[in-house]
Amino acid sequence: MNDKILTKRLLKDTSKTHWLQKPAVTIIIALLGLALVLVVMTRNIVKYENHLTTGDTVLLALAPVDPRGFMQGDYMTLSYALERDVFAALNRDPGSYPINEQGYVIVALDQHNVGQFKRLAANQPKNLASNEMAIHYRIRNGVMQLATNAFFFQEGHGEVFEAAEYGLFRVNDNGEPLLTNLVDDNFKVISPKQLDTEKTARSAN
């Protein structure tokens, strides 16, 4: 008799579903997770848009890169002349740097808004000249991280970007540069429409 009662109790207990496994709770948890993801995405979008619209503009000269890695179908590899200026000012072999090192490079803007190296600062300067700007940099394992090292574009439009001489950046209050466009040696923003127009003109002839 006792065995039968015990068996019934065990069957009753195992038939109970843990509250976390109930469908309604599962749905609520999923919705909360989705809401959290949307909040984070929205904050990032707002931060990006604010950076894009309020950041100060500067042109940074591009440095030559390995031609084999320059174009990769839908993006081009970027390097900046300013990186060499920073390493030269630090006067150390890039390979001798610790894992983490950072600071600010102060640039002076010329008549075309191109940032020219002036000096380095360990912390973000508070009092800069009207034509100066502080750009944050990092060194990781001897590699300079000044700005993005790649520019993405629609596949098939790489030819027009081969004329790039400068990267056009928006720099926020923290000295973080955001790449917005590439610029040619005439200080004009390069647009894929240029290539489409040239192809149309060639086909018409």
Side-chain angles (χ1 to χ4, degrees):
M1 185 68 178
N2 291 336
D3 291 342
K4 290 183 178 180
I5 294 175
L6 181 60
T7 301
K8 288 182 179 179
R9 287 179 178 175
L10 289 173
L11 291 173
K12 185 177 181 181
D13 290 339
T14 55
S15 64
K16 292 180 179 179
T17 303
H18 192 278
W19 67 274
L20 284 174
Q21 296 176 325
K22 292 182 178 180
V25 175
T26 302
I27 292 173
I28 291 173
I29 292 175
L31 290 175
L32 289 174
L34 178 60
L36 180 61
V37 171
L38 291 175
V39 168
V40 172
M41 289 179 62
T42 301
R43 287 185 61 185
N44 288 337
I45 291 173
V46 171
K47 182 179 178 181
Y48 174 85
E49 292 292 339
N50 185 61
H51 192 158
L52 194 63
T53 56
T54 64
D56 295 322
T57 302
V58 62
L59 293 176
L60 297 182
L62 301 179
V65 296
D66 183 354
R68 293 169 299 177
F70 184 65
M71 289 291 179
Q72 300 289 342
D74 58 354
Y75 77 95
M76 61 185 291
T77 302
L78 300 179
S79 182
Y80 306 94
L82 194 59
E83 296 174 359
R84 297 180 301 195
D85 295 331
V86 173
F87 274 129
L90 291 169
N91 195 28
R92 286 173 60 185
D93 178 8
S96 69
Y97 281 88
I99 294 176
N100 298 322
E101 189 164 315
Q102 60 185 347
Y104 290 85
V105 53
I106 313 304
V107 298
L109 307 183
D110 65 13
Q111 69 272 24
H112 298 293
N113 232 31
V114 177
Q116 307 287 348
F117 177 85
K118 293 291 288 184
R119 62 188 183 277
L120 298 179
N123 300 305
Q124 188 172 16
K126 299 300 182 183
N127 299 314
L128 293 172
S130 58
N131 69 326
E132 290 183 338
M133 179 183 296
I135 300 176
H136 187 248
Y137 72 87
R138 299 177 181 86
I139 297 175
R140 298 291 184 267
N141 295 317
V143 178
M144 178 77 64
Q145 295 180 0
L146 181 69
T148 180
N149 62 355
F151 180 79
F152 292 83
F153 48 78
Q154 184 178 349
E155 190 167 359
H157 289 80
E159 182 181 341
V160 69
F161 289 104
E162 292 179 358
E165 293 290 335
Y166 303 93
L168 176 61
F169 291 87
R170 290 280 190 170
V171 181
N172 65 13
D173 292 338
N174 296 322
E176 299 168 337
L178 174 65
L179 180 64
T180 61
N181 293 103
L182 294 184
V183 176
D184 63 19
D185 56 358
N186 292 316
F187 304 103
K188 293 182 179 179
V189 172
I190 298 173
S191 170
K193 293 180 180 179
Q194 295 176 225
L195 181 60
D196 295 335
T197 302
E198 291 173 3
K199 287 182 177 180
T200 303
R202 285 197 295 266
S203 62
N205 294 331

